[in-house]
Amino acid sequence: MQTPQPVTIKDIARKLGISASTVSRALRGSTEINDDTRKLVQDLAKELKYTPNPIALSLKEKRSKVIGVIVPEIANYFCSAVIAGIEDIAYNMGYHVVIFQSHEKYEREVININLLASRRIDGLIISVSNETQKGAHLAELIDKGVPVVMFDRICDEIDTPRVVTDDAGGAYDATCHLLEQGYRRIAHVTMAPYLSVTKNRMKGYMEALKKYKIPVQKKWIVHCDFDFANIKKALVKLLKNTPKPNAILATSERIAIGCFEVLKEMKLRIPADIAMVGFFDNPVCRFIDPSLTAIHQPTFDIGQSAARLLITMIENNTLHHQYKTIELKTTMEVRASSMRK
């Protein structure tokens, strides 16, 4: 049995006895075509179940209408919420989104970028991996004429728009809150030291300690990977210090979850033995026991802002944008994990 061929603009033109260019303009809603003809064309297209050929359209417009997105991990609530914001804007502006994960690996991030470039994406939105220290792969993509917007974790050496949150302010607020609750031995458990978010959250932590005239204890600043074994090893070593910390600021969702689990395993009571605050956007932080005091980032807004920036760059045919950086505010919700009884 022969597979039916898709309906084309030429088929509609033949049935109506008009030119293919007239059909094309009518389907686009052009005001050059009178209302009666436009309605006739659109009604027949609907009846014949005509759908535009995306490949033909991309060749004609020199755009694929596809945006690439690379995140460290989709299972992370922060990343999935940002993706939702990106898709919300992209869909409403006629763009499709292709999503890749780096799984926190630089090599995989490079492979993903090369693959997306070969698929003729119109632009890229990316949050770099925990291993990414250099941005040559991103610079190469931009050199090929592909606009790039970075969010959350960025490469400072790449001159392209980015969407970030006030990481320093969030860490400052969290540390001040712990200090105001009477905790003076506050550990800072964080990501790789070269990441932009690490540097900014460290800055906020240091500024809060300085304000309260608390000396910085380097032994209480811990950098770790995201796997549970690594977090556990780092935390066990941290808590062997004398005196040991009586509070922890965890600077990512996965680190916060890991710390929470390790403290439970060690039979340490939260907050009686050790208090906790985390950068944590997942609503589950309200329901764990005890509920977690959290610094929240406006995840959906981050995605929307990044998508708007990128699509503006695509449609204006520019690799840069007048808004170099969009910085969104964090908020803090105080819960049981950091409250003195």
Side-chain angles (χ1 to χ4, degrees):
M1 185 176 178
Q2 192 172 9
T3 305
Q5 295 299 307
V7 175
T8 67
I9 283 176
K10 288 182 179 179
D11 294 329
I12 297 171
R14 194 180 306 113
K15 282 183 177 291
L16 294 175
I18 58 178
S19 70
S21 61
T22 299
V23 172
S24 178
R25 290 198 297 272
L27 289 171
R28 292 200 308 270
S30 172
T31 54
E32 296 174 9
I33 308 301
N34 67 61
D35 293 344
D36 291 340
T37 303
R38 189 162 58 246
K39 185 176 187 309
L40 200 63
V41 169
Q42 291 174 350
D43 287 348
L44 182 59
K46 186 176 181 181
E47 179 186 331
L48 297 177
K49 298 181 180 177
Y50 164 79
T51 54
N53 183 328
I55 296 174
L57 282 173
S58 68
L59 289 171
K60 184 176 180 180
E61 297 179 5
K62 297 184 179 179
R63 288 185 191 152
S64 63
K65 290 287 187 176
V66 175
I67 292 171
V69 176
I70 300 178
V71 296
E73 186 183 46
I74 293 173
N76 181 302
Y77 181 86
F78 173 86
C79 290
S80 62
V82 171
I83 288 169
I86 292 169
E87 288 191 318
D88 177 65
I89 296 298
Y91 176 80
N92 287 317
M93 297 186 76
Y95 285 79
H96 300 282
V97 178
V98 179
I99 303 161
F100 283 78
Q101 302 178 82
S102 66
H103 292 287
E104 301 290 6
K105 300 295 181 185
Y106 169 76
E107 182 181 355
R108 192 155 180 173
E109 183 175 290
V110 173
I111 290 169
N112 289 341
I113 285 177
N114 291 337
L115 181 57
L116 285 168
S118 71
R119 291 188 176 187
R120 295 185 66 248
I121 58 168
D122 287 338
L124 174 69
I125 298 173
I126 183 170
S127 179
V128 300
S129 79
N130 193 48
E131 293 182 350
T132 301
Q133 299 187 51
K134 298 293 182 181
H137 55 311
L138 293 168
E140 186 178 337
L141 188 66
I142 294 168
D143 288 343
K144 290 177 180 176
V146 179
V148 173
V149 170
M150 292 183 283
F151 74 91
D152 192 46
R153 303 184 202 165
I154 62 174
C155 281
D156 285 318
E157 66 184 56
I158 302 300
D159 186 23
T160 195
R162 64 280 307 266
V163 180
V164 297
T165 53
D166 182 9
D167 291 305
Y172 177 85
D173 290 343
T175 308
C176 284
H177 163 69
L178 288 168
L179 290 164
E180 287 160 5
Q181 289 294 306
Y183 300 103
R184 290 293 182 268
R185 304 191 304 276
I186 303 170
H188 188 77
V189 184
T190 189
M191 299 166 276
Y194 43 78
L195 291 174
S196 57
V197 290
T198 304
K199 294 174 184 176
N200 291 329
R201 291 171 189 178
M202 184 73 71
K203 179 183 175 184
Y205 166 76
M206 296 281 199
E207 285 178 352
L209 294 180
K210 183 179 179 180
K211 177 185 176 182
Y212 282 81
K213 297 181 172 54
I214 304 295
V216 175
Q217 298 281 350
K218 289 187 178 179
K219 63 185 177 181
W220 291 345
I221 297 173
V222 178
H223 297 277
C224 58
D225 293 333
F226 294 111
D227 65 282
F228 178 73
N230 188 273
I231 294 170
K232 183 175 182 178
K233 181 180 178 182
L235 215 56
V236 168
K237 182 179 178 181
L238 171 70
L239 294 174
K240 284 182 179 176
N241 286 306
T242 305
K244 65 184 178 186
N246 60 3
I248 290 174
L249 169 59
T251 64
S252 82
E253 179 180 317
R254 288 177 64 185
I255 289 175
I257 291 171
C259 288
F260 209 89
E261 194 171 342
V262 172
L263 295 176
K264 291 279 189 178
E265 275 191 13
M266 296 176 73
K267 309 294 186 192
L268 291 170
R269 297 167 299 160
I270 306 171
D273 297 321
I274 188 163
M276 260 200 71
V277 177
F279 276 75
F280 204 102
D281 293 291
N282 196 319
V284 75
C285 63
R286 295 195 294 267
F287 307 112
I288 56 179
D289 184 26
S291 57
L292 179 66
T293 294
I295 301 298
H296 295 295
Q297 297 165 275
T299 48
F300 192 75
D301 292 345
I302 292 170
Q304 287 187 316
S305 297
R308 285 194 195 98
L309 259 179
L310 186 67
I311 292 171
T312 299
M313 292 164 69
I314 292 167
E315 299 194 344
N316 289 344
N317 197 28
T318 176
L319 295 178
H320 300 281
H321 192 276
Q322 61 178 328
Y323 300 109
K324 176 69 177 178
T325 298
I326 294 176
E327 184 179 85
L328 303 174
K329 293 296 182 183
T330 60
T331 55
M332 180 170 64
E333 288 193 43
V334 176
R335 300 189 181 94
S337 69
S338 63
M339 294 294 291
R340 290 275 196 189
K341 292 184 179 179

